[in-house]
Amino acid sequence: MNKELLCQIYSHPLIGETELEKIIQAHRKVSFKKGAFILEEGEVSNSYLILENGLMRSFAHNYNGTDITTDFFSNQEIVIEVLSLFQRIPSRENIRALTDCDCWEIKFDTFQELFHSIPGFSEWGRLWMTNRLFHFKQRSVEMVTISAKDRYLQLIKEKPQIVLQSPLKYIAGYLGITDTSFSRIRKEISQEH
Amino acid sequence: MNKELLCQIYSHPLIGETELEKIIQAHRKVSFKKGAFILEEGEVSNSYLILENGLMRSFAHNYNGTDITTDFFSNQEIVIEVLSLFQRIPSRENIRALTDCDCWEIKFDTFQELFHSIPGFSEWGRLWMTNRLFHFKQRSVEMVTISAKDRYLQLIKEKPQIVLQSPLKYIAGYLGITDTSFSRIRKEISQEH
DNA sequence: TAGAATTCTTGCCATAAGACAAGTTCGGCT
DNA sequence: AGCCGAACTTGTCTTATGGCAAGAATTCTA
């Protein structure tokens, strides 16, 4: 069992060595083929994943049925649908592998047990939530204060793996524009070299 | 001490009567005058508030100094800057009273103690975080999939207090448009009756 | 209560992005 | 290798929203 990635993910000043070991033991390795669904609309999520390598995307459906990419998950990130997992309600989102993926999975029940028995772990969890919250808050502001072109340039800088591995239409959706506009923006950028 | 509001806020299946009492006791009443700062950029937030009545807004500053309204807090809501409070780092946001406000305050240290000693309380906290996360995720999607006009109509329906009590320019900022465009949208709506 | 300052509205023109439709290229399957 | 469908590009026209500036209305404050 390659513990390095998990050690890194769960590193926190209040989590000691034995506790870290216990947390890591709670994970088991799982793989997904390109195109596999990790979570489907209507299911209650029952675990989360730590993505060792590969790319996934989460998406929901519009009132008129259009598919909206809400997020990408790439290397070393936690793949989770927070609302469904923690509120035990059916998910309104789908999560799907864009490439073959290797992951570490932890079940909700196991997580729950550790969350309440290891104080450092609940701190860790809150810290993680805090970061996600910040991420989405920031994103909601940037979606209107920054032009689509600049959001794209920012994505290239911050998460190049996405741009390299995802079909363009999903990136367009994530940026909040149509694939048509996205194509034009890419053209414009390439012409500036 | 009027406990009703606090009882309601902290109601959770895993929080028993004595524990609820303990949580409520940890709050003290505070008031703010219109225009008062609850939190200023650069400060580390040291408590959060439960807003009994009044309206507040949080805002950050752009790279070019423009003031961006990131959120409103109205009756019965929790007024908090999560990132600063839980990561103990200087806030990049300001929180300011738009009207006179009555609140219940709880200090970080006290909260922290309760968070780790009452299992139901950490569950409650996680649940709250989950809801906020959902809120901002939703918002980041809606900022680009829904027109400014529809976002405004939605705001009127969901949080009429804001529309009634806040200067229009802040609402415009929150909707992600200029006050000029907002004025036109309002005109258009009023002409449809 | 007058004057100043802020907030809000309006006009004119510019620009980013969407809608739709017709190609073109790419990638998976047999 | 060759075909088919999906993914991507491009053209033309439309629409939502922004930028700037001037004027009207509101509100603060002395």
Side-chain angles (χ1 to χ4, degrees), chain A residues 18-36:
Chain A
T18 27
E19 289 151 345
L20 182 57
E21 186 60 30
K22 222 164 131 189
I23 293 167
I24 290 175
Q25 290 303 334
H27 294 70
R28 72 185 183 86
K29 194 156 190 112
V30 285
S31 295
F32 297 93
K33 285 273 160 214
K34 176 172 178 174

Side-chain angles (χ1 to χ4, degrees), chain A residues 1 18 36 40 44 60 73 92 114 116 138 157 184 191:
Chain A
M1 186 160 178
T18 27
E40 254 177 300
V44 175
F73 304 94
R92 288 167 64 185
L114 297 171
H116 286 297
Q138 180 109 329
K157 208 181 288 175
R184 293 195 176 105
Q191 282 170 352

Side-chain angles (χ1 to χ4, degrees), chain A residues 131-180:
Chain A
N131 281 321
R132 288 301 279 174
L133 200 59
F134 176 74
H135 168 80
F136 282 112
K137 193 167 179 176
Q138 180 109 329
R139 182 166 149 82
S140 65
V141 170
E142 290 178 349
M143 289 306 259
V144 290
T145 55
I146 302 183
S147 71
K149 182 178 171 183
D150 287 347
R151 293 204 298 281
Y152 176 49
L153 291 172
Q154 191 172 307
L155 186 68
I156 292 176
K157 208 181 288 175
E158 288 172 8
K159 298 212 178 183
Q161 326 88 292
I162 294 174
V163 181
L164 295 172
Q165 298 182 76
S166 169
L168 297 178
K169 62 174 184 166
Y170 298 143
I171 300 175
Y174 182 68
L175 293 172
I177 55 178
T178 57
D179 50 352
T180 310

Side-chain angles (χ1 to χ4, degrees), chain B residues 166-170 179-180 183-184 186-187:
Chain B
S166 168
L168 297 179
K169 63 173 183 167
Y170 298 143
D179 51 351
T180 310
S183 176
R184 294 195 177 105
R186 285 167 49 82
K187 187 182 185 184

Side-chain angles (χ1 to χ4, degrees), chain B residues 11-22:
Chain B
S11 101
H12 185 280
L14 295 182
I15 299 181
E17 196 137 319
T18 26
E19 290 150 347
L20 182 58
E21 186 59 33
K22 221 164 132 190

Side-chain angles (χ1 to χ4, degrees), chain A residues 43-148:
Chain A
E43 279 178 48
V44 175
S45 171
N46 221 10
S47 67
Y48 69 78
L49 306 172
I50 291 161
L51 186 51
E52 184 142 15
N53 53 68
L55 185 68
M56 296 181 176
R57 79 177 183 112
S58 63
F59 59 100
H61 288 284
N62 221 343
Y63 59 97
N64 65 55
T66 330
D67 162 319
I68 313 237
T69 297
T70 52
D71 212 355
F72 286 103
F73 304 94
S74 53
N75 287 357
Q76 339 266 313
E77 290 189 334
I78 297 182
V79 180
I80 187 170
E81 214 297 76
V82 168
L83 198 66
S84 173
L85 184 67
F86 291 137
Q87 304 209 4
R88 319 303 302 138
I89 56 176
S91 173
R92 288 167 64 185
E93 298 215 334
N94 303 270
I95 303 180
R96 201 169 176 192
L98 287 172
T99 64
D100 291 353
C101 293
D102 300 315
C103 313
W104 298 96
E105 180 180 42
I106 181 168
K107 295 287 183 188
F108 176 72
D109 293 339
T110 321
F111 173 86
Q112 198 65 348
E113 220 178 284
L114 297 171
F115 183 85
H116 286 297
S117 64
I118 304 177
F121 193 49
S122 56
E123 279 289 329
W124 174 89
R126 196 176 64 188
L127 206 65
W128 182 85
M129 280 281 224
T130 300
N131 281 321
R132 288 301 279 174
L133 200 59
F134 176 74
H135 168 80
F136 282 112
K137 193 167 179 176
Q138 180 109 329
R139 182 166 149 82
S140 65
V141 170
E142 290 178 349
M143 289 306 259
V144 290
T145 55
I146 302 183
S147 71

